[in-house]
């Protein structure tokens, strides 16, 4: 298998092996199809077999050897088995996209530890587990890319979703430190910070309603922005890019930023119904 090559405007992935978790819908499905269109052999992962199969069929139009693994990433043994499948069925991985994730729009006073741990497991522990299982093979080969999908919620600390924010901050910070650790290995890291992308994430049950207030972008636009970020070897990719300015504003004056957030929350609802804004 060959690694990605950048001889044309868009990076070609012919012969590369790309694994996308959360490939059954939304951003992950869009990324999987885009990688397949660029020639990659894609391995997609999720729980819903029927939806995963639909995405796989679309990938196989471009890349017939693409495959899928029905896996519940909440199950640590299943994550370990997935890593073995990636190594044996796909023959390894050139680009690992840890995209699977769950939202948790819930006011902090409504949180319990079981919920916090479940969110942390899917959004942080599981991608770290899969990364640690596959990283030695990338390091040994001297090449590879790990793409971790975080959220602007990580940097903006979106109210009404503290458990989600923290899980996305954890994967972002892990990724940044990992990027430095791997500086001389040939393994590259990209962290993706989506704002509001029009996916099923906003209609999943067991979440407070999403109040809106932020323009959403299409999956196609998000995928194009993410691929541009990967092509340009960016460590941080904000989707859309202007969200980086919000993160900068918060970093420069966190007191003013959180006071502004509180004002915004007051205009949208009660403290108990606290809306989630700024991210999924
Ligand atoms: N949409 C946004 O505005 C937005 C903003 C910021 C960040 N993000 C992040 O982007 C990523 C993709 O989300 P999306 O917006 O595309 O939503 P989505 O359509 O709901 O996709 C989530 C994906 O994760 C998979 N998944 C969830 N739990 C899983 C589990 N236990 N095991 C295996 N797979 C699991 C789902 O597949 P199954 O249900 O089939 O298992 C699905 O393929 C997530 O990490 C999300 O936090 C999204």
């Amino acid at each position: 298998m060959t690694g990605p090559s950048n001889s044309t405007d868009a990076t070609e992935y012919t012969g590369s092996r790309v694994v996308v978790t959360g490939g059954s819908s939304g951003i992950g499905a869009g990324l999987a199809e885009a990688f397949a269109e660029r020639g990659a052999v894609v391995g997609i992962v999720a729980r819903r077999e029927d939806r995963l199969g639909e995405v796989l069929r679309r990938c196989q139009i471009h890349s017939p050897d693409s495959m899928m693994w029905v896996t519940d990433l909440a199950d640590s043994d299943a994550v370990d088995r997935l890593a073995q499948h990636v190594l044996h069925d796909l023959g390894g991985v050139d680009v690992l996209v840890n995209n699977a994730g769950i939202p948790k729009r819930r006011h902090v006073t409504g949180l319990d530890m079981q919920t916090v741990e479940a969110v942390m497991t899917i959004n942080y522990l599981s991608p770290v587990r899969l990364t640690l299982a596959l990283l030695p093979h990338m390091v040994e080969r001297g090449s590879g890319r790990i793409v971790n999908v975080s959220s602007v919620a990580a940097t903006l600390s979106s109210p009404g979703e503290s458990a989600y924010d923290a899980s996305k901050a954890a994967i972002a910070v892990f990724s940044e430190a990992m990027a430095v650790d791997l500086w001389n290995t040939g393994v590259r890291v990209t962290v993706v910070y989506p704002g509001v992308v029009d996916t099923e994430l906003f209609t999943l049950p067991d979440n407070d309603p999403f109040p809106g207030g932020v323009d959403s972008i299409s999956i196609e636009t998000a995928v194009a922005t993410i691929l541009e970020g990967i092509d340009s070897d960016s460590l941080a990719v904000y989707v859309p890019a202007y969200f980086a300015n919000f993160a900068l504003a918060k970093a420069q004056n966190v007191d003013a930023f959180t006071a502004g957030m509180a004002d915004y929350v007051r205009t949208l609802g009660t403290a108990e119904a606290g809306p989630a804004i700024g991210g999924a």
Side-chain angles (χ1 to χ4, degrees):
M1 296 284 177
T2 56
S5 68
N6 208 346
S7 54
T8 56
D9 286 342
T11 301
E12 284 297 324
Y13 286 88
T14 306
S16 294
R17 302 149 300 182
V18 178
V19 172
V20 182
T21 70
S24 59
S25 61
I27 298 168
L31 279 172
E33 286 182 61
F35 276 115
E37 277 175 27
R38 289 179 175 205
V41 177
V42 174
I44 52 177
V45 182
R47 293 165 302 178
R48 289 171 295 174
E49 189 168 4
D50 52 341
R51 296 287 298 273
L52 207 51
E54 287 168 23
V55 177
L56 179 63
R57 277 187 287 282
R58 294 201 292 274
C59 291
Q60 285 177 331
I61 292 169
H62 309 283
S63 178
D65 292 337
S66 293
M67 57 188 76
M68 63 183 236
W69 301 283
V70 176
T71 304
D72 183 353
L73 295 167
D75 176 350
S76 57
D77 292 338
V79 176
D80 293 343
R81 284 195 297 275
L82 170 65
Q84 291 308 309
H85 281 303
V86 169
L87 295 175
H88 296 127
D89 304 353
L90 200 59
V93 59
D94 298 293
V95 182
L96 169 63
V97 185
N98 285 309
N99 161 79
I102 54 170
K104 190 48 64 190
R105 292 182 299 278
R106 183 165 302 161
H107 193 272
V108 68
T109 56
L111 280 176
D112 55 67
M113 276 316 294
Q114 196 183 349
T115 302
V116 174
E117 286 172 12
V119 174
M120 206 54 145
T121 297
I122 294 296
N123 293 354
Y124 174 63
L125 294 175
S126 151
V128 167
R129 193 174 188 94
L130 188 59
T131 297
L132 294 184
L134 297 174
L135 184 59
H137 304 273
M138 290 183 172
V139 171
E140 191 182 343
R141 217 176 45 233
S143 69
R145 180 174 296 276
I146 297 161
V147 180
N148 285 333
V149 180
S150 175
S151 167
V152 296
T155 49
L156 301 186
S157 306
S158 303
E161 46 183 4
S162 52
Y164 178 79
D165 299 347
S167 69
K168 290 298 186 177
I171 193 64
V173 173
F174 182 92
S175 306
E176 287 174 359
M178 173 169 69
V180 178
D181 283 354
L182 297 175
W183 71 273
N184 61 349
T185 63
V187 180
R188 311 293 297 166
V189 178
T190 296
V191 191
V192 179
Y193 299 90
V196 180
V197 185
D198 192 9
T199 71
E200 297 167 26
L201 205 73
F202 297 98
T203 54
L204 291 177
D206 201 24
N207 281 281
D208 293 342
F210 182 67
V214 182
D215 289 340
S216 67
I217 61 169
S218 68
I219 292 169
E220 293 71 26
T221 302
V223 166
T225 307
I226 294 167
L227 288 178
E228 276 169 26
I230 294 172
D231 285 356
S232 61
D233 192 23
S234 301
L235 174 57
V237 180
Y238 280 85
V239 187
Y242 64 73
F243 268 105
N245 298 332
F246 296 168
L248 181 64
K250 181 188 161 206
Q252 284 174 333
N253 191 339
V254 70
D255 286 329
F257 186 88
T258 49
M261 277 285 203
D263 274 347
Y264 185 58
V265 167
R266 274 193 289 276
T267 66
L268 287 178
T270 66
E272 285 71 31
I277 56 174

